[in-house]
PDB file of all heavy atoms in Angstrom:
ATOM      1  N   LEU A 271      17.454 -11.230  -0.451  1.00 98.00           N
ATOM      2  CA  LEU A 271      17.323 -10.860   0.966  1.00 98.00           C
ATOM      3  C   LEU A 271      18.331 -11.637   1.792  1.00 98.00           C
ATOM      4  O   LEU A 271      18.950 -11.118   2.727  1.00 98.00           O
ATOM      5  CB  LEU A 271      15.911 -11.128   1.448  1.00 98.00           C
ATOM      6  CG  LEU A 271      14.792 -10.296   0.822  1.00 98.00           C
ATOM      7  CD1 LEU A 271      13.448 -10.747   1.377  1.00 98.00           C
ATOM      8  CD2 LEU A 271      15.003  -8.804   1.062  1.00 98.00           C
ATOM      9  N   ALA A 272      18.530 -12.944   1.460  1.00 98.00           N
ATOM     10  CA  ALA A 272      19.461 -13.748   2.209  1.00 98.00           C
ATOM     11  C   ALA A 272      20.906 -13.243   2.093  1.00 98.00           C
ATOM     12  O   ALA A 272      21.648 -13.263   3.042  1.00 98.00           O
ATOM     13  CB  ALA A 272      19.393 -15.226   1.684  1.00 98.00           C
ATOM     14  N   TRP A 273      21.229 -12.757   0.876  1.00 98.00           N
ATOM     15  CA  TRP A 273      22.581 -12.177   0.725  1.00 98.00           C
ATOM     16  C   TRP A 273      22.807 -11.047   1.713  1.00 98.00           C
ATOM     17  O   TRP A 273      23.883 -10.947   2.323  1.00 98.00           O
ATOM     18  CB  TRP A 273      22.770 -11.661  -0.727  1.00 98.00           C
ATOM     19  CG  TRP A 273      24.133 -11.040  -0.940  1.00 98.00           C
ATOM     20  CD1 TRP A 273      25.286 -11.662  -1.260  1.00 98.00           C
ATOM     21  CD2 TRP A 273      24.420  -9.660  -0.820  1.00 98.00           C
ATOM     22  NE1 TRP A 273      26.322 -10.726  -1.375  1.00 98.00           N
ATOM     23  CE2 TRP A 273      25.807  -9.496  -1.124  1.00 98.00           C
ATOM     24  CE3 TRP A 273      23.688  -8.486  -0.518  1.00 98.00           C
ATOM     25  CZ2 TRP A 273      26.475  -8.259  -1.059  1.00 98.00           C
ATOM     26  CZ3 TRP A 273      24.324  -7.253  -0.490  1.00 98.00           C
ATOM     27  CH2 TRP A 273      25.712  -7.139  -0.748  1.00 98.00           C
ATOM     28  N   LEU A 274      21.808 -10.198   1.914  1.00 98.00           N
ATOM     29  CA  LEU A 274      21.905  -9.093   2.861  1.00 98.00           C
ATOM     30  C   LEU A 274      22.110  -9.652   4.299  1.00 98.00           C
ATOM     31  O   LEU A 274      22.903  -9.084   5.044  1.00 98.00           O
ATOM     32  CB  LEU A 274      20.680  -8.202   2.821  1.00 98.00           C
ATOM     33  CG  LEU A 274      20.590  -7.261   1.592  1.00 98.00           C
ATOM     34  CD1 LEU A 274      19.204  -6.668   1.499  1.00 98.00           C
ATOM     35  CD2 LEU A 274      21.632  -6.187   1.661  1.00 98.00           C
ATOM     36  N   LEU A 275      21.357 -10.647   4.670  1.00 98.00           N
ATOM     37  CA  LEU A 275      21.487 -11.202   6.017  1.00 98.00           C
ATOM     38  C   LEU A 275      22.836 -11.823   6.279  1.00 98.00           C
ATOM     39  O   LEU A 275      23.244 -12.000   7.418  1.00 98.00           O
ATOM     40  CB  LEU A 275      20.366 -12.206   6.283  1.00 98.00           C
ATOM     41  CG  LEU A 275      18.961 -11.648   6.454  1.00 98.00           C
ATOM     42  CD1 LEU A 275      17.976 -12.755   6.799  1.00 98.00           C
ATOM     43  CD2 LEU A 275      18.909 -10.564   7.528  1.00 98.00           C
ATOM     44  N   HIS A 276      23.543 -12.175   5.207  1.00 98.00           N
ATOM     45  CA  HIS A 276      24.900 -12.730   5.329  1.00 98.00           C
ATOM     46  C   HIS A 276      25.952 -11.661   5.480  1.00 98.00           C
ATOM     47  O   HIS A 276      27.106 -11.949   5.721  1.00 98.00           O
ATOM     48  CB  HIS A 276      25.219 -13.600   4.129  1.00 98.00           C
ATOM     49  CG  HIS A 276      24.619 -14.999   4.226  1.00 98.00           C
ATOM     50  ND1 HIS A 276      23.295 -15.250   4.015  1.00 98.00           N
ATOM     51  CD2 HIS A 276      25.166 -16.213   4.474  1.00 98.00           C
ATOM     52  CE1 HIS A 276      23.059 -16.532   4.129  1.00 98.00           C
ATOM     53  NE2 HIS A 276      24.175 -17.144   4.438  1.00 98.00           N
ATOM     54  N   GLN A 277      25.561 -10.388   5.331  1.00 98.00           N
ATOM     55  CA  GLN A 277      26.523  -9.253   5.481  1.00 98.00           C
ATOM     56  C   GLN A 277      26.604  -8.890   7.001  1.00 98.00           C
ATOM     57  O   GLN A 277      25.593  -8.523   7.572  1.00 98.00           O
ATOM     58  CB  GLN A 277      26.101  -8.064   4.665  1.00 98.00           C
ATOM     59  CG  GLN A 277      25.830  -8.398   3.208  1.00 98.00           C
ATOM     60  CD  GLN A 277      26.937  -9.204   2.551  1.00 98.00           C
ATOM     61  OE1 GLN A 277      28.135  -8.824   2.579  1.00 98.00           O
ATOM     62  NE2 GLN A 277      26.576 -10.329   1.948  1.00 98.00           N
ATOM     63  N   PRO A 278      27.794  -8.980   7.595  1.00 97.00           N
ATOM     64  CA  PRO A 278      27.902  -8.751   9.047  1.00 97.00           C
ATOM     65  C   PRO A 278      27.499  -7.384   9.523  1.00 97.00           C
ATOM     66  O   PRO A 278      27.197  -7.177  10.695  1.00 97.00           O
ATOM     67  CB  PRO A 278      29.388  -9.068   9.333  1.00 97.00           C
ATOM     68  CG  PRO A 278      30.074  -8.869   8.017  1.00 97.00           C
ATOM     69  CD  PRO A 278      29.067  -9.301   6.984  1.00 97.00           C
ATOM     70  N   HIS A 279      27.517  -6.404   8.633  1.00 97.00           N
ATOM     71  CA  HIS A 279      27.197  -5.026   9.005  1.00 97.00           C
ATOM     72  C   HIS A 279      25.677  -4.746   8.978  1.00 97.00           C
ATOM     73  O   HIS A 279      25.275  -3.626   9.349  1.00 97.00           O
ATOM     74  CB  HIS A 279      27.938  -3.996   8.163  1.00 97.00           C
ATOM     75  CG  HIS A 279      27.923  -4.328   6.666  1.00 97.00           C
ATOM     76  ND1 HIS A 279      28.843  -5.174   6.087  1.00 97.00           N
ATOM     77  CD2 HIS A 279      27.060  -3.993   5.670  1.00 97.00           C
ATOM     78  CE1 HIS A 279      28.586  -5.281   4.813  1.00 97.00           C
ATOM     79  NE2 HIS A 279      27.518  -4.583   4.541  1.00 97.00           N
ATOM     80  N   VAL A 280      24.871  -5.709   8.536  1.00 98.00           N
ATOM     81  CA  VAL A 280      23.441  -5.516   8.462  1.00 98.00           C
ATOM     82  C   VAL A 280      22.780  -5.931   9.747  1.00 98.00           C
ATOM     83  O   VAL A 280      23.010  -7.049  10.241  1.00 98.00           O
ATOM     84  CB  VAL A 280      22.827  -6.294   7.272  1.00 98.00           C
ATOM     85  CG1 VAL A 280      21.315  -6.279   7.323  1.00 98.00           C
ATOM     86  CG2 VAL A 280      23.293  -5.688   5.950  1.00 98.00           C
ATOM     87  N   THR A 281      21.991  -5.054  10.332  1.00 98.00           N
ATOM     88  CA  THR A 281      21.238  -5.346  11.553  1.00 98.00           C
ATOM     89  C   THR A 281      19.900  -5.923  11.219  1.00 98.00           C
ATOM     90  O   THR A 281      19.494  -6.998  11.736  1.00 98.00           O
ATOM     91  CB  THR A 281      21.031  -4.098  12.425  1.00 98.00           C
ATOM     92  OG1 THR A 281      22.289  -3.510  12.710  1.00 98.00           O
ATOM     93  CG2 THR A 281      20.333  -4.429  13.714  1.00 98.00           C
ATOM     94  N   THR A 282      19.150  -5.266  10.344  1.00 98.00           N
ATOM     95  CA  THR A 282      17.804  -5.728   9.999  1.00 98.00           C
ATOM     96  C   THR A 282      17.470  -5.262   8.593  1.00 98.00           C
ATOM     97  O   THR A 282      17.979  -4.263   8.088  1.00 98.00           O
ATOM     98  CB  THR A 282      16.786  -5.158  10.998  1.00 98.00           C
ATOM     99  OG1 THR A 282      15.486  -5.749  10.791  1.00 98.00           O
ATOM    100  CG2 THR A 282      16.639  -3.656  10.889  1.00 98.00           C
TER     101      THR A 282
END
Side-chain angles (χ1 to χ4, degrees):
L271 296 178
W273 178 85
L274 285 168
L275 288 184
H276 280 74
Q277 308 311 306
H279 44 273
V280 171
T281 304
T282 189

